[in-house]
Amino acid sequence: MEEPDRPRPVGDAASRLASEDLGPYSQAELDERIAVLEAEIARVSAHRAKAAAHRAAADALFGKGGG
C-alpha cells in the first residue's frame, strides 16, 4: 500500500530555511549552517533507509499487493 502524497504543511522548517535571507550571516556562520544541514540530511537519509528496510521486510513477510 503506497502512502498518499501529502502536502507539506505551510511554514514547515524546510520552507522557512529556503526563504531565509542569508545576507546577514558571516562566512563562519554559513559554514556552521552548512554543517548542521548536512548532519540533518544524513539523519533523514538514515531514517529513510530504515523505513525502506522495514517496508521491504513487511512486504516479504506479508506479500506485496492485495491479490
Side-chain angles (χ1 to χ4, degrees), residues 29-65:
E29 290 169 327
L30 290 170
D31 288 341
E32 182 178 340
R33 182 182 177 111
I34 289 168
V36 168
L37 291 171
E38 287 173 341
E40 179 62 3
I41 289 168
R43 184 180 78 91
V44 172
S45 295
H47 178 76
R48 181 178 177 217
K50 183 179 174 184
H54 181 79
R55 175 67 180 262
D59 286 346
L61 181 62
F62 297 111
K64 191 170 184 176

